[in-house]
């Protein structure tokens, strides 16, 4: 297995099929046997797991990882990373706020010799659509502070949308103790940088989930104030 795409889900029944098909379309030039799409379910009560199983009967790349407990987005991502079998591991959210096409561009950068690539909303060519001013301000402020306080050489440390080599994760996995968002992503990026891994970014467009794509599970309080606990 060359690539593992990890997608945490909780009550995302409505998004399983469109997200699966969007990823498969983006990877149409890659052999089906070379990648897997791992939906990591936190025991959703809405039938998300059953929908993943249904889709997997049509698309062999789609697989269910039943994490079984709702501990936070970081814990779900970690469970997916640990269950994956690809040489390259890629993370994307379930609501298509990020474009699967950008995952392919991240793979190109990994092939150039980088160890981790983050999709940045805050590079000059990056863009955010539909996000409230408050959420944008808090996210942007936190990322600026993290960049300078922790000396991490990228603009979007908190973003879940990223790709990295397996060795990068296995080397630093034991250093990460955060389970929520954005703590998990911050620790992951920090320890990768501390261990000398090459980190870079690509600009991406982030589009806040709209009508018909379910409800966001993230809380401003949990996202922002956890950093000061």
């Amino acid at each position: 297995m060359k690539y593992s795409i990890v997608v945490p889900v909780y009550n995302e029944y409505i998004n399983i099929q469109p997200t699966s098909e969007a990823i498969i379309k983006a990877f149409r030039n890659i052999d089906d046997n070379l990648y897997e799409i791992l939906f990591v379910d936190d025991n959703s009560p809405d039938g998300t797991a059953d929908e993943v199983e249904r889709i997997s009967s049509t698309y062999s790349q789609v697989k269910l990882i039943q994490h079984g407990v709702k501990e936070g987005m970081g814990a779900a991502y970690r469970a997916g990373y640990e269950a994956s079998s690809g040489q390259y591991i890629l993370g994307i959210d379930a609501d298509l706020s990020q474009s699967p096409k950008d995952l392919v561009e991240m793979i190109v950068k990994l092939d150039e010799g980088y160890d981790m690539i983050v999709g940045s909303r805050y590079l000059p060519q990056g863009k955010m659509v539909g996000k409230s001013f408050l959420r944008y301000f808090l996210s942007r402020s936190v990322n600026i502070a993290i960049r300078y306080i922790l000396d991490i050489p990228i603009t979007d440390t908190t973003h879940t949308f990223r790709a990295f080599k397996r060795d990068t994760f296995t080397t630093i996995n034991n250093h990460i103790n955060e389970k929520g968002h954005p703590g998990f992503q911050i620790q992951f990026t920090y320890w990768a940088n501390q261990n000398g891994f090459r980190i870079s970014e690509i600009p991406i467009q982030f589009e806040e989930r709209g009508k018909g794509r379910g409800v966001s599970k993230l809380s401003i309080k949990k996202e922002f104030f956890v950093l000061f606990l």
Side-chain angles (χ1 to χ4, degrees):
M1 190 67 62
K2 183 74 173 177
Y3 313 109
S4 295
I5 301 104
V6 176
V7 191
V9 288
Y10 184 77
N11 287 347
E12 296 285 0
Y13 174 93
I14 195 171
N15 289 315
I16 301 303
Q17 182 167 338
T19 297
S20 298
E21 292 178 347
I23 294 172
I24 290 168
K25 182 178 180 180
F27 279 65
R28 62 186 177 277
N29 293 325
I30 298 174
D31 190 291
D32 290 350
N33 296 317
L34 292 181
Y35 71 96
E36 59 185 358
I37 304 170
L38 306 181
F39 286 97
V40 184
D41 182 40
D42 278 352
N43 200 25
S44 303
D46 72 338
T48 291
D50 291 338
E51 180 67 356
V52 175
E53 295 282 20
R54 184 185 74 82
I55 297 298
S56 69
S57 66
T58 302
Y59 302 110
S60 60
Q61 308 96 315
V62 174
K63 302 175 183 178
L64 173 67
I65 304 298
Q66 189 54 270
H67 185 215
V69 57
K70 196 171 187 296
E71 295 180 307
M73 182 179 285
Y77 265 115
R78 185 177 196 165
Y81 298 163
E82 292 176 343
S84 68
S85 54
Q87 298 172 40
Y88 291 174
I89 304 172
L90 307 93
I92 187 171
D93 294 346
D95 59 3
L96 295 178
S97 293
Q98 308 126 336
S99 172
K101 294 179 182 178
D102 289 324
L103 293 177
V104 179
E105 186 176 345
M106 291 181 189
I107 288 172
V108 173
K109 297 288 285 184
L110 291 177
D111 285 338
E112 291 175 359
Y114 290 98
D115 300 299
M116 180 188 294
I117 305 297
V118 178
S120 174
R121 300 161 288 184
Y122 304 123
L123 285 172
Q125 302 91 337
K127 189 176 181 181
M128 297 183 70
V129 178
K131 206 173 188 71
S132 70
F133 174 78
L134 177 60
R135 293 182 71 92
Y136 172 85
F137 175 78
L138 293 178
S139 177
R140 188 75 177 101
S141 299
V142 167
N143 274 287
I144 290 172
I146 290 168
R147 181 176 186 180
Y148 291 102
I149 293 172
L150 299 182
D151 193 27
I152 298 175
I154 61 174
T155 62
D156 203 349
T157 303
T158 63
H159 207 185
T160 57
F161 192 43
R162 59 184 63 201
F164 48 91
K165 296 177 179 176
R166 174 167 297 279
D167 287 349
T168 305
F169 176 66
T170 56
T171 298
I172 65 176
N173 189 15
N174 290 336
H175 290 292
I176 305 172
N177 54 34
E178 289 286 342
K179 295 183 177 181
H181 175 76
F184 177 86
Q185 286 77 22
I186 294 170
Q187 283 193 335
F188 188 0
T189 314
Y190 171 79
W191 285 113
N193 186 54
Q194 287 293 105
N195 279 269
F197 290 109
R198 295 185 66 200
I199 305 172
S200 187
E201 299 176 289
I202 63 168
I204 61 98
Q205 176 172 304
F206 177 93
E207 184 177 347
E208 193 75 9
R209 73 164 77 198
K211 293 181 180 179
R213 290 196 293 171
V215 179
S216 174
K217 315 307 183 298
L218 296 179
S219 161
I220 292 179
K221 289 182 179 179
K222 289 182 179 180
E223 284 186 64
F224 184 70
F225 292 108
V226 71
L227 298 175
F228 301 95
L229 297 178

